[in-house]
Amino acid sequence: MKLDLIEAFLATLESGSIRAAAKALHQSQPGVSKKLRQLETELGVPLITRSVKGIDLTRYGEAFAVRARAILNETGRALDEVRQLRGELEGVVRIVLAPSSCVDLVSQAVRLFQRDCPAVRLDIYEGLQALAVDQLRAGRIDFAVCPLWEPLPETEFIVTEIERMRMAVVTSVGSRYRGATSLAQLDPLDWVHVGAGANISPLVVKIFQQAGLPAPQPRMECYSLTSTLALLVDSEAVALLPAKLAEQPQYRHLLVEVPVRETIPDYPLYLIHRRESPLTPASQSLASTFARVAGAKRAPA
């Protein structure tokens, strides 16, 4: 299967029409149509249907699109790897970070990486396990740094713990809950759940069960640190977050740790990548830097 056929298919899908795809690829419209027919003939199934509104994917097309993106992403990664092995530290490294978990790691890790690999572009996306796993499986990113709410299959992913985070209930400095000493004093309606790819974080469930209390059911689940901070700062909201978030200079005047007496277990932070997609020299350099920075912060304790 030729890569140009896959490129024509994905360009059509992303552009919404064959005409737009031809323009994006700087090719003729009949040429792109021919490549799509060749691809469908080779696969033996229809991938798209055409209408006055543009194109729609068949069920075969939906399944093939996932693999097609992974193929092109892996091809680009392979080219980067060969260039980097030749000593040309260029290309792109793409990662997903859990922002509240990496708040004290990212600036130093990126600074060290850019010193060592100044010609490599770095793309950083914000997300937790659900997004990270989807992006890894599609081949869109090199690795992720985030906590895991559910275990990942060892046959598919390499998962390395780089830090154990102290977790805490966090609220705004002006919140009525800032002096609360028990989870029972916190109104379940004021909980903001940080997106875990499920209805509620298993860690939240665990600490409430250990306290003999029903876990607060989510009215809102945030997948963005910006939105989470806005809700915490401008309301009576509380959230379970890495304690280090409230300790950062940019947030310590806005957030405070609620001194509940219940034990909140530490939670691991992991570096995750696909077993079948080895890291390029540049992405390995960045991954090693994250692990090194996390280790250095842990050492004084």
Side-chain angles (χ1 to χ4, degrees):
M1 185 180 297
K2 295 182 178 179
L3 287 177
D4 64 329
L5 304 185
I6 297 175
E7 289 174 344
F9 168 71
L10 289 177
T12 301
L13 174 58
E14 291 163 5
S15 301
S17 70
I18 296 174
R19 169 187 258 177
K23 184 176 181 181
L25 294 172
H26 305 290
Q27 298 175 16
S28 68
Q29 187 171 336
V32 172
S33 295
K34 181 179 179 180
K35 288 179 179 180
L36 292 174
R37 289 194 300 271
Q38 288 177 335
L39 183 59
E40 289 177 327
T41 299
E42 186 170 341
L43 294 172
V45 293
L47 298 176
I48 63 174
T49 58
R50 301 161 180 80
S51 68
V52 293
K53 296 181 179 179
I55 59 104
D56 291 308
L57 287 177
T58 65
R59 65 187 184 97
Y60 305 109
E62 290 177 353
F64 183 72
V66 176
R67 302 293 184 185
R69 290 191 182 99
I71 289 169
L72 284 191
N73 287 331
E74 281 299 309
T75 300
R77 191 169 288 112
L79 292 173
D80 280 350
E81 182 166 18
V82 170
R83 293 190 188 103
Q84 291 163 18
L85 288 171
R86 288 201 311 245
E88 303 170 19
L89 282 180
E90 300 176 349
V92 184
V93 174
R94 298 179 176 90
I95 62 174
V96 163
L97 300 180
S100 59
S101 302
C102 297
V103 66
D104 62 335
L105 306 178
V106 63
S107 61
Q108 185 177 352
V110 168
R111 185 170 64 252
L112 293 171
F113 173 73
Q114 291 178 329
R115 181 199 65 187
D116 296 337
C117 305
V120 178
R121 194 183 86 213
L122 178 58
D123 291 349
I124 300 176
Y125 304 93
E126 176 183 320
L128 292 170
Q129 179 176 350
L131 175 67
V133 169
D134 286 345
Q135 296 295 302
L136 284 166
R137 284 178 170 153
R140 293 192 182 99
I141 62 171
D142 294 273
F143 65 85
V145 182
C146 64
L148 293 178
W149 310 115
E150 297 177 354
L152 296 176
E154 293 182 4
T155 55
E156 188 178 3
F157 296 98
I158 295 176
V159 178
T160 306
E161 181 181 319
I162 63 171
E163 181 185 359
R164 291 197 71 84
M165 301 179 293
R166 189 173 70 85
M167 304 296 289
V169 178
V170 175
T171 192
S172 71
V173 294
S175 170
R176 62 192 169 107
Y177 297 122
R178 65 170 299 163
T181 57
S182 170
L183 293 172
Q185 295 175 285
L186 308 177
D187 191 328
L189 296 180
D190 286 323
W191 275 82
V192 174
H193 293 271
V194 179
N199 288 329
I200 185 171
S201 160
L203 186 57
V204 173
V205 173
K206 181 178 180 179
I207 64 173
F208 272 82
Q209 285 179 340
Q210 289 176 340
L213 299 168
Q217 293 304 306
R219 289 195 307 160
M220 180 178 299
E221 188 171 15
C222 281
Y223 292 84
S224 162
L225 177 59
T226 303
S227 297
T228 301
L229 290 173
L231 289 165
L232 289 174
V233 170
D234 292 331
S235 70
E236 299 283 0
V238 294
L240 184 68
L241 291 166
K244 60 186 178 181
L245 181 67
E247 297 166 357
Q248 296 306 300
Q250 62 268 42
Y251 300 129
R252 65 171 59 138
H253 66 292
L254 299 172
L255 302 176
V256 66
E257 181 177 339
V258 180
V260 295
R261 60 175 174 266
E262 290 84 1
T263 299
I264 300 177
D266 294 345
Y267 214 72
L269 178 66
Y270 297 102
L271 194 147
I272 309 154
H273 66 93
R274 285 191 65 204
R275 190 172 293 277
E276 294 182 356
S277 181
L279 296 176
T280 65
S283 58
Q284 180 62 66
S285 174
L286 180 58
S288 299
T289 302
F290 265 102
R292 188 169 70 252
V293 170
K297 289 183 176 296
R298 185 172 61 245

